[in-house]
């Protein structure tokens, strides 16, 4: 819950929830989740002329300290979020290979993924793949600039502040983290202080740790391709 919630309202809600019956809980032993990678081509029946590429790398789960968690998000912003990201600058602005390119962190309780999405024409598919791999090798070997690093921190902090200013967005921000097991703190100031304290070398280490040799590649291609 978020907003101007009165105490008597909370009591009423608790009473309603207490009357909901519990189902049976069955404990299941699951095998450890393994990331094997691989390549998949999917013809799609669509009116659009774009082809789409998705690359997945194994990444962090929610079971990490808050500092490591937000280091991962700084890395994601730097690499593929927004027009100033490394991927957008190289593949869209400099080379004109994609209509759109972005990256997203996916974090769950037991597993995490780092996803790169690109939309392009059929003739550019493998050039896009090669260019993405070149960008990855560049950040692993050369590192990142302080300008990229500081900009990504500012953008991430701004997003968190804006999310928590709106009561509905604030509820989703903390509620989603709680439900997915990735909740780190309800204190926004503490989150911002944690982000401020992160050093550039931590982001570079995160980049090197995620971009390993194993990854999953999926390409969707319209029938005429």
């Amino acid at each position: 819950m978020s907003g101007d919630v009165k105490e008597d309202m909370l009591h009423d809600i608790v009473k309603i929830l207490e009357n909901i019956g519990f189902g049976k809980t069955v404990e299941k032993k699951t095998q450890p989740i393994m990331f094997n990678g691989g390549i998949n081509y999917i013809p799609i029946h669509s009116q659009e002329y774009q082809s789409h590429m998705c690359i997945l790398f194994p990444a962090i789960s929610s079971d990490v300290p808050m500092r490591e968690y937000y280091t991962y998000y700084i890395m994601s912003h730097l690499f593929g979020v927004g027009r100033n990201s490394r991927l957008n600058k190289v593949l869209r602005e400099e080379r004109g290979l994609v209509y759109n390119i972005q990256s997203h962190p996916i974090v769950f309780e037991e597993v995490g993924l780092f996803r790169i999405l690109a939309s392009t024409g059929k003739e550019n598919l493998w050039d896009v793949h090669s260019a993405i791999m070149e960008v990855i090798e560049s950040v692993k070997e050369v590192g990142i600039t302080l300008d990229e690093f500081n900009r990504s921190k500012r953008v991430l902090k701004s997003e968190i502040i804006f999310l928590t200013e709106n009561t509905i967005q604030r509820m989703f921000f903390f509620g989603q983290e709680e439900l997915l097991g990735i909740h780190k703190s309800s204190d926004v100031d503490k989150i911002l202080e944690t982000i401020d304290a992160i050093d550039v070398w931590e982001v570079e280490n995160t980049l090197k740790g995620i971009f390993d040799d194993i990854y999953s590649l999926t390409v969707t291609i319209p029938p005429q391709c």
Side-chain angles (χ1 to χ4, degrees):
M1 296 181 188
S2 180
D4 187 19
V5 183
K6 306 299 183 184
E7 186 175 350
D8 57 348
M9 186 187 298
L10 288 174
H11 291 308
D12 292 340
I13 293 172
V14 169
K15 287 180 182 179
I16 293 171
L17 294 176
E18 284 178 338
N19 292 325
I20 298 175
F22 289 93
K24 293 183 179 179
T25 301
V26 179
E27 290 190 9
K28 292 184 178 181
K29 293 183 179 179
T30 58
Q31 297 295 324
I33 298 171
M34 302 295 293
F35 185 92
N36 297 318
I39 300 176
N40 192 21
Y41 301 93
I42 306 174
I44 57 172
H45 297 282
S46 172
Q47 296 299 318
E48 64 179 80
Y49 294 96
Q50 295 181 19
S51 295
H52 302 278
M53 179 177 294
C54 175
I55 303 176
L56 294 174
F57 290 88
I60 65 168
S61 67
S62 66
D63 189 23
V64 295
M66 186 162 68
R67 184 168 180 138
E68 184 176 346
Y69 177 73
Y70 284 105
T71 299
Y72 177 50
Y73 270 79
I74 293 172
M75 182 280 294
S76 174
H77 277 69
L78 184 153
F79 193 77
V81 177
R83 62 185 181 86
N84 289 316
S85 67
R86 184 73 72 93
L87 283 177
N88 191 71
K89 280 187 173 181
V90 173
L91 275 84
R92 191 171 189 270
E93 294 183 6
E94 295 178 9
R95 304 192 187 182
L97 289 172
V98 294
Y99 301 108
N100 179 58
I101 188 161
Q102 55 191 292
S103 67
H104 304 278
I106 305 173
V107 180
F108 292 112
E109 199 167 4
E110 297 181 24
V111 66
L113 295 168
F114 186 72
R115 177 176 61 185
I116 300 171
L117 298 173
S119 302
T120 186
K122 61 178 181 179
E123 69 280 0
N124 292 330
L125 274 171
W126 297 116
D127 287 337
V128 168
H129 179 266
S130 298
I132 291 172
M133 294 304 156
E134 286 176 20
V135 173
I136 289 173
E137 289 304 313
S138 174
V139 295
K140 285 172 63 177
E141 295 177 8
V142 182
I144 60 179
T145 68
L146 281 176
D147 180 63
E148 288 178 308
F149 170 69
N150 290 324
R151 187 197 68 245
S152 299
K153 288 175 73 169
R154 289 195 300 270
V155 171
L156 178 58
K157 287 167 60 179
S158 297
E159 286 183 359
I160 292 171
I161 292 170
F162 284 126
L163 278 173
T164 53
E165 282 186 348
N166 179 286
T167 53
I168 294 177
Q169 292 300 324
R170 189 182 185 93
M171 178 184 68
F172 276 114
F173 178 74
F174 293 120
Q176 178 177 276
E177 290 200 332
E178 185 72 38
L179 289 171
L180 294 178
I182 59 178
H183 181 69
K184 300 300 177 185
S185 176
S186 297
D187 187 339
V188 175
D189 289 334
K190 184 178 179 182
I191 294 173
L192 298 179
E193 288 172 6
T194 299
I195 294 172
D196 279 332
I198 294 169
D199 292 320
V200 64
W201 62 265
E202 294 176 85
V203 176
E204 290 181 334
N205 285 345
T206 299
L207 280 163
K208 293 174 183 177
I210 288 173
F211 294 131
D212 205 344
D213 293 332
I214 298 177
Y215 64 91
S216 172
L217 171 65
T218 298
V219 178
T220 58
I221 310 171
Q224 66 268 26
C225 293

